[in-house]
Amino acid sequence: MMTKGEILTVTRGYIGVNSGYLGDFSYRTHEEFYPMYCDLEINPLEFEGTTRQRFETILENVDNVSQAKILIGVLKKYPVEYFTEAEQPRKKQLEVELRSIIARLQGQIPITRPTLNITSDIVERAIADTAILVEKNGPQSGVDRIHTALHGYLKAVCSNIGIAVEELDSLTNLFSKLKQNHPSLQGNGARQEDIDQIIRSFSNVLDKLNPIRNKASVAHPNDQILEKDEALFVINAAQTILHYLNSKFK
C-alpha cells in the first residue's frame, strides 16, 4: 500500500494543487478519469470534498493493484511534457519516483535506488531508465540499464580518486582496481576476513553480469532472455552492490 507521504507526492508534488483543486480536474473530468485512464469503475461523486480530497481518499482506500492503475493513469493524463519547461526537471524526478511506486505495488520493484554521492549524467539516466523500463516492460528490460549504471558508477568513482581507467575496463576490472586502491575498501573492522570474502563474492557477481547482459538481456537480439524472477534478481544484486559502495564512499 502507498504511504500518506507518497499520496501527497502524487497530488501536491506531481499533479499540483490550486485552491484545493487538483491539476485541471473538474468534477466531470475527475469522474471520467478512472474509466478512461485507469480501467477502473470508481465514482468520485460518492465521496465528499474537493477534487483533491476525493482523489486522495480514493487513492488511500483502494487496493495495491488499483493504486498502481491510478498512478499509471496519472502519468498518462499528465506526462512530463504537459508541464511548463521550468517545471519539467522536477516533474521528471517525481515521475521516476511514481514509476518506482507503481512497480512496488505490482510486486516487481527492485530495491530502492540509492542517492549516489559520486555519479555522472549517464549513471543517473541509466538508473532512471531502469525504473521506467521495469514498470513499463518488466524487469527483463531493466537488466541492460542497471548494468550500464553500475559500470558507469565504478568508472566515476575510479576517476574521482585518480585511478586510471581504460576504455575497455569491465565491471570486474574496475571493481578489482577499487578494492586494491580505494582507502574506504581497506577496512580492518570486526570480522573483516568474512566481510572481505563477501566482497570477493561481489566480484564474482560482477563477473557474471557481463555475459548475462550480453547473452540474456534485450541489449542484443538474443534468442533467449532471462525469466522475470531471474531478471529481477540480477537487478537487485546490482543495486545491492551500488548501495554498499555508495555507503562506503560517502
Side-chain angles (χ1 to χ4, degrees):
M1 298 296 289
M2 295 180 67
T3 66
K4 185 66 174 178
E6 288 172 339
I7 291 171
L8 294 180
T9 295
V10 176
T11 55
R12 303 177 191 226
Y14 189 78
I15 300 175
V17 176
N18 183 23
S19 300
Y21 290 90
L22 187 62
D24 62 355
F25 276 121
S26 65
Y27 289 117
R28 177 183 60 81
T29 58
H30 186 202
E31 185 178 1
E32 294 171 347
F33 168 74
Y34 298 99
M36 287 181 62
Y37 291 91
C38 314
D39 193 26
L40 292 171
E41 295 300 326
I42 295 175
N43 183 4
L45 299 180
E46 295 176 356
F47 301 88
E48 298 292 332
T50 63
T51 52
R52 176 192 62 79
Q53 291 168 330
R54 294 178 181 189
F55 184 95
E56 290 178 349
T57 298
I58 291 167
L59 190 54
E60 185 174 7
N61 287 282
V62 296
D63 59 26
N64 285 21
V65 173
S66 297
Q67 285 182 335
K69 287 183 175 182
I70 291 171
L71 296 193
I72 292 170
V74 167
L75 295 178
K76 288 179 181 177
K77 180 173 172 56
Y78 297 105
V80 171
E81 295 74 20
Y82 167 87
F83 302 100
T84 67
E85 188 173 338
E87 293 176 309
Q88 286 184 16
R90 176 57 179 158
K91 299 300 183 181
K92 183 64 176 177
Q93 292 176 344
L94 292 173
E95 180 197 23
V96 172
E97 290 186 32
L98 296 195
R99 292 193 184 280
S100 295
I101 295 169
I102 290 166
R104 188 195 77 223
L105 293 169
Q106 293 175 330
Q108 61 181 28
I109 186 64
I111 58 176
T112 306
R113 58 177 276 191
T115 301
L116 300 175
N117 301 94
I118 302 170
T119 188
S120 67
D121 289 343
I122 189 64
V123 172
E124 291 301 317
R125 176 64 181 269
I127 291 176
D129 285 350
T130 301
I132 293 170
L133 288 167
V134 167
E135 186 271 312
K136 282 187 173 180
N137 302 320
Q140 293 95 331
S141 296
V143 171
D144 173 47
R145 303 312 295 151
I146 198 63
H147 179 281
T148 298
L150 184 54
H151 198 184
Y153 175 72
L154 295 180
K155 280 187 173 182
V157 174
C158 285
S159 298
N160 188 62
I161 67 164
I163 297 175
V165 174
E166 302 295 332
E167 182 65 28
L168 297 179
D169 272 344
S170 67
L171 285 171
T172 311
N173 291 342
L174 294 167
F175 187 77
S176 178
K177 288 180 178 183
L178 286 170
K179 184 66 180 75
Q180 293 173 20
N181 297 288
H182 201 294
S184 295
L185 296 180
Q186 312 303 315
N188 192 29
R191 306 301 303 178
Q192 191 61 47
E193 290 184 6
D194 294 331
I195 297 299
D196 285 344
Q197 182 61 48
I198 294 173
I199 291 174
R200 283 191 288 273
S201 297
F202 275 5
S203 183
N204 291 332
V205 171
L206 292 172
D207 189 49
K208 299 304 179 186
L209 287 178
N210 289 307
I212 286 174
R213 184 259 183 190
N214 291 328
K215 302 295 186 181
S217 81
V218 296
H220 301 290
N222 294 305
D223 292 333
Q224 292 183 318
I225 62 172
L226 296 176
E227 297 292 334
K228 173 183 174 181
D229 292 339
E230 283 67 33
L232 189 56
F233 177 59
V234 168
I235 293 173
N236 275 317
Q239 293 210 112
T240 295
I241 295 170
L242 274 173
H243 273 277
Y244 173 71
L245 294 178
N246 185 59
S247 178
K248 293 299 290 183
F249 297 154
K250 282 183 179 178

